[in-house]
Amino acid sequence: MREILLDIFTAFITFVVYLWIKPHADIWINKLLSSLRVVARMKKTGVQASAVDANFNEEDENIGLSKKGPMFGNNALFNLIGERYPEFIDDMKALLIRAGMRQDSDLEKFMTSKATSCCALVMILFLVLGTNDFDIPIYAVIAISLLGGVYGGNKLSDMNMEMLAAQRKEAIEGGVPDLIDLLVICTESGLDLNNSIRRIAREMRASNPILAEELSLTSIELEMIPDHHVVFSNLEQRTDCLEIRTIASTLSQAIDYGSSLSASLKELATEARQKKMLLVEEKAAKAPTLLTLPMMFFIMPCLFIVMLGPVIIQMIASFNK
């Protein structure tokens, strides 16, 4: 029993050290990969122009997505994964977009983080299972370590990114009622939709910078993309918020059918305020239930000590006499 507890404590300490070292390791790996790419590009520029033109049709320019899958510079493993499993890469890109990471290098950083997590968990599982008396064969230890490490590292990285996406979604949902009210004010004052969104994004930078950033991107897309359905669809995918989806559908229908934006937005504003009030009431109704355990473990013992302490002391003194 003592050896099992020692193994569990060792695994816990190893995992804590891994969490502490992982950000620094990611920074070092990214710097190393960047330096390797710079060296490769310098070597590539030294090739004759005729040779480059001859191989241009055979090699894709590493600036984004190719026909076979995502390009990750000179990382052969990531390129192989992107070519074999494009749906896996698309899911990761969608998750990163919901978490607010839109740079081209974020996908490679995320895959590097996944690889680091998988390697660390494989080593932890191998050390825990291989240095104990569980009587597990070595081939089973290797298999369990590989499967558990790969699956666990992948899931831990996804859970971390999903937590960031959930926090971002919560922040966006908190600013939706204000967004609708400001849209009503701007449309009633005579501004068109694009100028209204741009003005609201400028006004909400201090109160809700995440929503203001999304609105700024939407305003830019409205100027560059002629189809507003595509713009609102991009906004829905970036935010993954039901309220934003409702606003986008309302605005799209108002533009298509030529109805009044202010009238439609007023109804949405009323519904948003009512929904926010219902959520507050729901949290207030849950408060007594959530306070039960803290009262039992922290407040009630103190009350018992204060109320029964003098009585117990007097009883002990009387028995001693």
Side-chain angles (χ1 to χ4, degrees):
M1 184 65 183
R2 184 177 300 175
E3 294 178 355
I4 296 175
L5 293 176
L6 183 60
D7 291 336
I8 296 173
F9 180 73
T10 304
F12 175 74
I13 295 298
T14 307
F15 186 69
V16 171
V17 172
Y18 157 72
L19 292 178
W20 179 68
I21 294 176
K22 183 177 179 298
H24 305 283
D26 291 340
I27 294 173
W28 182 80
I29 291 172
N30 291 328
K31 289 182 178 179
L32 178 62
L33 293 175
S34 300
S35 61
L36 291 176
R37 289 195 206 95
V38 171
V39 173
R41 289 172 183 172
M42 290 175 66
K43 290 181 180 180
K44 186 178 290 187
T45 55
V47 182
Q48 296 295 327
S50 59
V52 175
D53 294 336
N55 296 326
F56 182 77
N57 294 327
E58 298 178 0
E59 295 182 0
D60 292 326
E61 189 179 7
N62 297 334
I63 58 172
L65 293 177
S66 66
K67 295 180 180 179
K68 296 182 180 180
M71 302 298 293
F72 297 98
N74 297 320
N75 197 318
L77 177 61
F78 291 172
N79 288 330
L80 179 62
I81 294 174
E83 293 174 0
R84 294 291 181 86
Y85 306 101
E87 295 84 4
F88 178 66
I89 301 298
D90 293 338
D91 293 339
M92 282 196 301
K93 288 180 65 178
L95 180 59
L96 290 174
I97 288 174
R98 291 198 303 270
M101 299 180 181
R102 308 183 186 88
Q103 299 296 327
D104 296 335
S105 60
D106 290 336
L107 182 60
E108 184 174 357
K109 291 179 181 178
F110 186 48
M111 292 193 69
T112 305
S113 175
K114 278 178 174 286
T116 307
S117 302
C118 292
C119 294
L121 282 180
V122 168
M123 294 177 62
I124 291 173
L125 289 175
F126 183 80
L127 290 175
V128 171
L129 297 177
T131 58
N132 53 35
D133 297 330
F134 289 152
D135 295 331
I136 302 176
I138 186 64
Y139 63 87
V141 171
I142 295 174
I144 294 172
S145 301
L146 289 175
L147 293 176
V150 172
Y151 181 79
N154 185 24
K155 287 298 180 182
L156 283 176
S157 300
D158 289 341
M159 288 172 60
N160 185 21
M161 199 59 60
E162 286 174 358
M163 290 176 60
L164 294 176
Q167 293 177 359
R168 190 168 178 271
K169 179 181 177 181
E170 184 178 358
I172 292 174
E173 289 177 349
V176 168
D178 297 332
L179 167 63
I180 299 175
D181 291 338
L182 291 174
L183 274 175
V184 172
I185 294 172
C186 292
T187 52
E188 287 184 345
S189 62
L191 293 176
D192 60 349
L193 181 60
N194 193 8
N195 290 325
S196 300
I197 293 176
R198 187 184 298 112
R199 179 60 185 271
I200 293 169
R202 186 166 63 250
E203 295 294 335
M204 295 187 69
R205 286 176 184 173
S207 61
N208 199 325
I210 297 176
L211 184 56
E213 180 183 1
E214 295 296 336
L215 294 176
S216 299
L217 289 175
T218 304
S219 175
I220 294 172
E221 288 182 348
L222 285 173
E223 293 180 353
M224 299 178 62
I225 301 176
D227 190 2
H228 62 274
H229 295 282
V230 178
V231 176
F232 292 138
S233 177
N234 294 336
L235 178 62
E236 294 173 7
Q237 293 177 1
R238 292 196 305 266
T239 56
D240 191 24
C241 179
L242 179 60
E243 288 79 4
I244 295 294
R245 189 177 297 112
T246 305
I247 295 173
S249 301
T250 303
L251 295 177
S252 180
Q253 292 177 2
I255 295 173
D256 290 336
Y257 298 106
S259 59
S260 176
L261 283 175
S262 60
S264 303
L265 291 172
K266 283 181 181 179
E267 296 179 0
L268 282 179
T270 304
E271 294 177 359
R273 294 296 179 186
Q274 290 177 354
K275 184 177 181 180
K276 192 172 184 179
M277 185 61 66
L278 290 174
L279 290 176
V280 173
E281 292 177 355
E282 182 181 357
K283 291 181 180 180
K286 290 181 179 179
T289 306
L290 297 175
L291 289 174
T292 302
L293 291 178
M295 289 181 63
M296 290 176 59
F297 289 103
F298 298 105
I299 299 176
M300 298 301 292
C302 299
L303 291 176
F304 287 143
I305 292 173
V306 173
M307 295 172 62
L308 300 178
V311 177
I312 295 173
I313 293 173
Q314 291 180 2
M315 291 177 63
I316 293 173
S318 62
F319 282 125
N320 289 332
K321 292 180 181 178

